[in-house]
Amino acid sequence: MSEKRGVGVHLDAARDQLLAERVAVAAKILAAGRFALARMAELGHGFEDLIVDDWELVAAELGAELGISRGRACTLITQGRDLLTRLPAFAEVFAGGGVDLRVLRVILHRCALITDPDIMAIVDAQLAAAAPSWNALSDERVGELIDWMIVEVDPVAVRRARETRRSRHLSLTPVGDGMVEIYGVVDAAKGAVFEQGVEALARTVCPHDPRTHAQRRADAVDALALRATSIACLCGREDCPAAGNEVPSGQFVIHVLAEQPTVATAQGCPEQGGNTGAPVATPARALIPGYGPITVDHLADLLPAARVRPVPDPADLGAEPGYQPSHKLADFVGRRDLTCRWPGCTTSVARCDIDHTTPWPAGPTHPSNTKLYCRIHHLIKTFHCGPGGWTDHQHPDGTLTLTAPNGRVYTTKPDGALFFPQFTVATAELGAIDMPPPSPHRERAAPTRSRTRIQNRAYRIAHERAHNRDHIDAHPPPF
């Protein structure tokens, strides 16, 4: 019995830690919501028609403080705000650790179409009473129970199956070893066309191709994207009936970073080992920014169609005339930084702008004064910097120090140095630069939205409710 009690201590600890985890998660979400509501009221800009509105400014501050991406910051703000303003009774239960985060996500999604505050209050009270017993249920069952509540008080607010089509998407996620996982939800007809195309391409090689059928299907993806009618056969036979298959080619461009010894190894150069079996002097390093490392074998597959271009030596780069960086400077900055330099932001180089830390022409177009920002953070830097806003200072090694409007200081370092240590080399020290005061009317030049966030949300809710109403009218009870 004493041994059983001893083992039971671990169960008790796991249960207690689960409760502590729920309480901590709830506290974080509610704190994010309170901060967002208070900070937006404090800002009070009313720039709802701007791309960078008060919501974006709040997300930037929260993301920097927590070291998380803009998307995750926006999710925390949305969850916290909805708990505080739409589900106050349930929020108390959630804060006490009574409900798991997974259940909260389902609740917020299923209740999103309720617009009447009185109806929302009814559902809120029911959720506060019932949700603590849902933690062991599947997402599908939790959704059904929420819908059961909503259908009684607001039938047009029930989210129906048609929402699946609106959630269609296609995503690529790096999974390591030079591979990515492709997944998503698409229209059935488009999925059928894709399936047939991949299957047809996979069958264009001869029976001696060494790959499995599943591997040929995977290798057919790029051929399908490039509208090729066949894939290359890898059997290597002189009498291969598929020897004339076209090799997919097109105008798509991907960037691969690799050290010279790695490239030489992949090319099979004897002095670097290659196909001779000799040892490689340095570890093989190759990287597709945004997708992760790849092996030398993968690099060897890419090299025949690639153009090898050395990344410029920082010692060879200096100040350039004009605002637009040269290709050499852009290559160096992109490979040094790899991602947006805003704290917590992981937007890859392909979707970033090159920003002048000290705005041009006061600051030169120089590697010590340029770095990557994604478009949103570039806009924040451009239109919300200076007194009362953000300021950033760039060091010669690429380290960036940002000071938030609240005075908090954040430091980010270039990601390139994590993979390629040579990018830690400092560029020239520019010295003090007189920063011109920002224009008092700069907001007038900021890009605007066609519809504000509030208008977009109201439109989506009204659109879905209208579809639900039409469905109910066309299929009146009994169903």
Side-chain angles (χ1 to χ4, degrees), residues 67-367:
I68 59 177
S69 68
R70 168 180 170 268
R72 291 175 62 192
C74 288
T75 297
L76 281 178
I77 292 171
T78 300
Q79 292 172 338
R81 178 201 61 185
D82 286 357
L83 280 168
L84 294 168
T85 61
R86 289 167 54 83
L87 295 165
F90 173 76
E92 290 188 17
V93 176
F94 183 63
V99 179
D100 192 74
L101 175 61
R102 176 184 60 85
V103 176
L104 169 69
R105 289 170 175 159
V106 180
I107 288 173
L108 294 180
H109 176 68
R110 306 305 295 189
C111 294
L113 300 185
I114 300 175
T115 56
D116 188 316
D118 293 333
I119 292 176
M120 190 71 250
I122 294 172
V123 174
D124 179 29
Q126 293 177 343
L127 289 170
S133 64
W134 293 351
N135 291 311
L137 303 181
S138 67
D139 290 359
E140 292 76 13
R141 181 52 54 87
V142 172
E144 291 171 357
L145 292 171
I146 298 169
D147 290 348
W148 188 257
M149 295 178 180
I150 296 174
V151 74
E152 292 294 322
V153 290
D154 192 2
V156 298
V158 176
R159 309 205 78 159
R160 303 185 183 278
R162 123 184 97 261
E163 71 188 39
T164 302
R165 189 174 190 279
R166 282 191 292 275
S167 66
R168 61 190 183 277
H169 68 282
L170 193 64
S171 303
L172 282 79
T173 302
V175 294
D177 297 326
M179 306 296 284
V180 299
E181 182 180 66
I182 302 176
Y183 61 95
V185 176
V186 300
D187 290 335
K190 291 181 175 63
V193 171
F194 178 83
E195 165 70 18
Q196 292 181 29
V198 168
E199 186 68 17
L201 285 166
R203 295 184 182 279
T204 58
V205 299
C206 84
H208 300 290
D209 186 281
R211 294 167 291 185
T212 67
H213 184 67
Q215 290 170 341
R216 295 198 304 272
R217 281 173 57 91
D219 291 346
V221 170
D222 62 334
L224 187 66
L226 294 168
R227 301 181 181 179
T229 57
S230 60
I231 59 174
C233 185
L234 302 182
C235 71
R237 295 178 173 232
E238 293 183 359
D239 60 346
C240 174
N245 283 5
E246 62 179 308
V247 177
S249 62
Q251 298 301 313
F252 298 100
V253 176
I254 61 172
H255 291 92
V256 182
L257 299 180
E259 295 178 324
Q260 183 58 42
T262 302
V263 175
T265 300
Q267 290 173 329
C269 294
E271 64 270 20
Q272 295 294 340
N275 297 330
T276 67
V280 180
T282 58
R285 295 188 179 99
L287 178 76
I288 301 180
Y291 295 92
I294 61 173
T295 65
V296 175
D297 290 339
H298 292 153
L299 181 61
D301 291 339
L302 295 172
L303 281 175
R307 183 175 65 151
V308 178
R309 187 170 67 193
V311 174
D313 188 324
D316 298 333
L317 298 172
E320 299 181 349
Y323 172 81
Q324 193 67 32
S326 66
H327 285 300
K328 284 187 175 182
L329 177 55
D331 280 349
F332 172 76
V333 173
R335 307 319 150 207
R336 180 195 65 194
D337 292 358
L338 292 184
T339 62
C340 173
R341 298 298 307 285
W342 198 270
C345 188
T346 57
T347 302
S348 65
V349 56
R351 294 187 290 123
C352 286
D353 304 329
I354 293 184
D355 171 65
H356 288 71
T357 302
T358 299
W360 187 87
T365 302
H366 186 282

Side-chain angles (χ1 to χ4, degrees), residues 30 38 40-41 90 122 131 175 193 195 232 248 321 336 382 441 461 465 473:
L30 290 169
M40 280 190 275
F90 173 76
I122 294 172
V175 294
V193 171
E195 165 70 18
R336 180 195 65 194
T382 301
H441 306 296
I461 291 174
R465 286 177 64 92
D473 291 344

